[in-house]
Amino acid sequence: AALVVPEKIVELHPLLRPGPGKRGRGETKDPLGAAGIAVHVSAELRPRAIRIMHVLLTELDARKLRYSATPAGTAPLGGHLRGRITIDVGGEPVAFALTEWFRSVTVPPAPPTGSSGRKDGSSWQRREYRGDGRLRLHLYAGSYNDAKRTWRDEGAKLIEHRLAAFFPSVEAVVDAERRRRADFAARAQVQRELERVRAEALAREQWRAALVKDARERVAELEFVGGLR
């Protein structure tokens, strides 16, 4: 069934509602709640990203799937792992996040200001990261960095119009990961069997070599004794 992203949401999903946040000096309320860790976009794209996240979380509830907000960390194979929503599909973890591609750009110095003509602006150029304005929805297998499926804005074809493929893709990723692990286990079993056969063959070869060595030593000993007579 198609997932419709409304232009306006009256009440956000609980994971998107503002939380109390930390109570230290300079801290403010969390503007998005727990699910905010899976939204990595600029301010311009944030309203769209929030509406899409709301629809996906609501559908997860409707499908009675367990999920949690997973904070950023380190991937099993190394590298930074961005925050994401992790879904438990029959014990198989699948995660997703909304992102935007950011690039480093040079910001020109501020222009001179003031009636006296004095240069009040900064003469230093600086660099900052700016988004490309294209929303992306990534689907990951467990806690790995490589996305198994990505939807991105392509002109007028926005990802809101293609969310119907999200949950079938979740199932496809789960099936693919289960097959991958089964294939890995089968190959590991074959490798273990080969190593066992090789170890047994080596042991037999060493046993035979020991028998031959012992026989030769006995023959040499007998020949030596015979020569003394």
Side-chain angles (χ1 to χ4, degrees):
L3 297 179
V4 179
V5 179
E7 288 295 324
K8 184 178 181 181
I9 296 173
V10 177
E11 186 176 6
L12 283 174
H13 187 276
L15 280 188
L16 287 170
R17 295 173 194 166
K22 299 180 181 179
R23 294 186 177 272
R25 185 173 62 181
E27 296 288 346
T28 57
K29 293 177 65 176
D30 182 355
L32 273 184
I37 62 174
V39 178
H40 311 276
V41 300
S42 60
E44 290 76 14
L45 288 182
R46 181 163 287 237
R48 283 181 57 208
I50 292 174
R51 294 198 303 271
I52 293 170
M53 182 65 73
H54 168 84
V55 168
L56 293 176
L57 293 175
T58 302
E59 184 65 17
L60 285 171
D61 292 337
R63 293 171 180 256
K64 298 186 180 343
L65 289 171
R66 293 188 300 170
Y67 59 92
S68 60
T70 306
T74 302
L77 299 179
H80 178 72
L81 196 70
R82 69 178 66 204
R84 55 189 66 190
I85 301 296
T86 301
I87 313 167
D88 184 340
V89 185
E92 188 73 41
V94 182
F96 69 94
L98 286 159
T99 72
E100 181 182 7
W101 185 72
F102 287 86
R103 67 187 185 278
S104 177
V105 298
T106 300
V107 180
T113 58
S115 58
S116 63
R118 183 170 54 87
K119 188 175 182 180
D120 296 329
S122 172
S123 61
W124 292 95
Q125 288 188 337
R126 59 186 176 87
R127 300 189 67 82
E128 65 180 35
Y129 287 93
R130 293 181 179 176
D132 67 347
R134 297 172 64 190
L135 196 57
R136 291 162 174 81
L137 172 59
H138 298 291
L139 186 60
Y140 307 92
S143 51
Y144 290 90
N145 264 331
D146 294 335
K148 298 299 181 180
R149 181 74 194 272
T150 296
W151 296 267
R152 60 175 56 85
D153 291 341
E154 296 174 358
K157 193 176 181 182
L158 306 178
I159 63 174
E160 290 94 320
H161 307 146
R162 290 175 284 162
L163 291 184
F166 179 78
F167 285 96
S169 296
V170 168
E171 295 293 340
V173 168
V174 168
D175 292 342
E177 283 300 296
R178 287 173 176 165
R179 288 195 302 271
R180 182 187 64 80
R181 278 202 303 275
D183 291 343
F184 179 82
R187 289 195 300 270
Q189 179 61 33
V190 170
Q191 184 63 29
R192 287 194 296 269
E193 183 64 20
L194 287 174
E195 291 174 355
R196 184 188 66 80
V197 170
R198 289 168 185 163
E200 290 180 353
L202 178 61
R204 286 194 298 268
E205 187 64 28
Q206 291 173 340
W207 176 71
R208 292 193 188 98
L211 288 180
V212 170
K213 180 181 178 182
D214 183 67
R216 287 174 178 171
E217 289 176 350
R218 287 178 180 275
V219 169
E221 182 180 353
L222 291 174
E223 290 177 347
F224 175 76
V225 172
L228 295 177
R229 292 177 180 174

